[in-house]
């Protein structure tokens, strides 16, 4: 009987030690990879609001970016250090000065904008897709303001922006989004992170 008690006590001690090791001696979780991105788009496209929402910031504190700002946007499997550039006419000509060091691009467009603004956005996107410092990088193109009645569909945007012929052979994603649909927005960024990981793995293999 006493042997059984001793064995049970020994098993119990081993079990407690195992639990203690699991709870108290576990090493820190592996660091999440970080990627440096540039976010561009015309004024009013909603860049600042989308990034602020992803960072769980209060909408009352959102102020349109006039120069540039940097946000660390956390996701479960990565941290995106996003450099957002203002989209006013007098700032867009300086965008390329801030491209260096970028590992990916976020382009936000207002899918409910006027024809003139949509044409300007198309020209800016075409310029970015062909820029020497960006042309090999993954692109996430967000057709924002899908909650507005005048919003163009993703298919309409793809056709108008001529993305299929222009971006053939490049890593790019075109997704609808709005502040009211955070699940779709987060899924879009998850796809971008996957493209960033793929590009990183390709670089390692070379």
């Amino acid at each position: 009987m006493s042997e059984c008690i001793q064995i049970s006590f020994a098993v119990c001690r081993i079990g407690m030690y195992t639990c203690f090791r699991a709870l108290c001696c576990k090493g820190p979780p592996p660091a999440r990879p970080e990627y440096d991105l540039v976010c561009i788009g015309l004024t009013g496209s909603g860049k600042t609001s989308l990034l602020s929402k992803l960072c769980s910031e209060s909408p009352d504190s959102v102020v349109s970016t006039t120069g540039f700002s940097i946000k660390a946007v956390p996701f479960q499997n990565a941290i995106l250090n996003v450099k957002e550039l203002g989209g006013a006419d007098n700032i867009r000509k300086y965008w390329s000065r801030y491209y260096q060091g970028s590992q990916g691009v976020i382009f936000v467009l207002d899918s409910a904008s006027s024809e003139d603004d949509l044409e300007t956005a198309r020209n800016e996107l075409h310029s970015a897709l062909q820029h020497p410092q960006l042309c090999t990088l993954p692109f996430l193109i967000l057709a924002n303001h899908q909650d507005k009645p005048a919003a163009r569909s993703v298919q309409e945007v793809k056709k108008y922006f001529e993305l299929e012929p222009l971006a053939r052979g490049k890593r790019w994603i075109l997704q609808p989004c709005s502040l009211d649909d955070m699940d779709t927005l987060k899924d879009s960024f998850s796809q971008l992170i996957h493209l960033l990981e793929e590009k990183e793995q390709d670089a390692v293999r070379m």
Side-chain angles (χ1 to χ4, degrees), residues 38 40-41 95-96 99 104-109 120-142 157-158 160-174 192 195:
V38 64
I40 53 180
W95 277 358
S96 59
Y99 289 165
V105 183
I106 304 162
F107 190 96
V108 184
L109 64 96
T120 302
R122 184 176 84 155
N123 292 338
E124 294 292 355
L125 178 57
H126 283 204
S127 177
L129 282 165
Q130 298 174 82
H131 193 278
Q133 289 180 302
L134 304 182
C135 62
T136 62
L137 303 182
F139 269 71
L140 171 59
I141 305 162
L142 295 172
V157 170
K158 183 188 291 186
Y160 183 82
F161 277 67
E162 300 176 306
L163 285 174
E164 290 289 0
L166 182 67
R168 185 176 291 117
K170 302 179 186 290
R171 293 179 170 92
W172 61 278
I173 308 160
L174 171 62
L192 174 61
L195 291 183

Side-chain angles (χ1 to χ4, degrees), residues 24-62:
C24 302
C25 302
K26 188 177 180 181
R32 286 175 288 179
E34 297 191 25
Y35 298 100
D36 296 327
L37 308 179
V38 64
C39 178
I40 53 180
L42 305 191
T43 295
S45 61
K47 304 184 298 296
T48 307
S49 296
L50 291 175
L51 294 174
S52 296
K53 190 75 177 285
L54 286 168
C55 292
S56 301
E57 296 176 359
S58 170
D60 298 331
S61 64
V62 174

Side-chain angles (χ1 to χ4, degrees), residues 138-202:
F139 269 71
L140 171 59
I141 305 162
L142 295 172
N144 195 19
H145 298 151
Q146 287 293 309
D147 52 328
K148 294 184 178 181
R152 283 93 168 169
S153 69
V154 166
Q155 290 303 319
E156 289 174 315
V157 170
K158 183 188 291 186
K159 183 177 180 181
Y160 183 82
F161 277 67
E162 300 176 306
L163 285 174
E164 290 289 0
L166 182 67
R168 185 176 291 117
K170 302 179 186 290
R171 293 179 170 92
W172 61 278
I173 308 160
L174 171 62
Q175 287 283 89
C177 74
S178 72
L179 288 175
D180 296 333
D181 189 357
M182 288 305 294
D183 288 340
T184 299
L185 183 62
K186 289 179 179 179
D187 179 67
S188 301
F189 275 84
S190 293
Q191 293 183 53
L192 174 61
I193 291 170
H194 179 68
L195 291 183
L196 292 166
E197 291 170 343
E198 277 188 345
K199 182 169 175 57
E200 198 171 52
Q201 290 166 4
D202 289 347

Side-chain angles (χ1 to χ4, degrees), residues 100-114:
Q100 188 172 1
S102 298
Q103 295 170 278
V105 183
I106 304 162
F107 190 96
V108 184
L109 64 96
D110 179 3
S111 60
S113 66
S114 67

Side-chain angles (χ1 to χ4, degrees), residues 66-103:
T66 53
F68 77 92
S69 67
I70 299 176
K71 289 185 185 296
V73 187
F75 291 90
Q76 187 174 2
N77 57 339
I79 296 174
L80 304 182
N81 299 312
V82 182
K83 185 191 301 174
E84 180 200 344
L85 308 183
D89 293 348
N90 61 334
I91 294 176
R92 292 200 301 271
K93 59 186 176 183
Y94 300 113
W95 277 358
S96 59
R97 296 186 181 185
Y98 299 91
Y99 289 165
Q100 188 172 1
S102 298
Q103 295 170 278

Side-chain angles (χ1 to χ4, degrees), residues 11-27:
V11 170
C12 184
R13 286 185 63 184
I14 292 170
M16 289 175 64
Y17 177 74
T18 303
C19 290
F20 177 79
R21 290 276 298 176
L23 292 172
C24 302
C25 302
K26 188 177 180 181

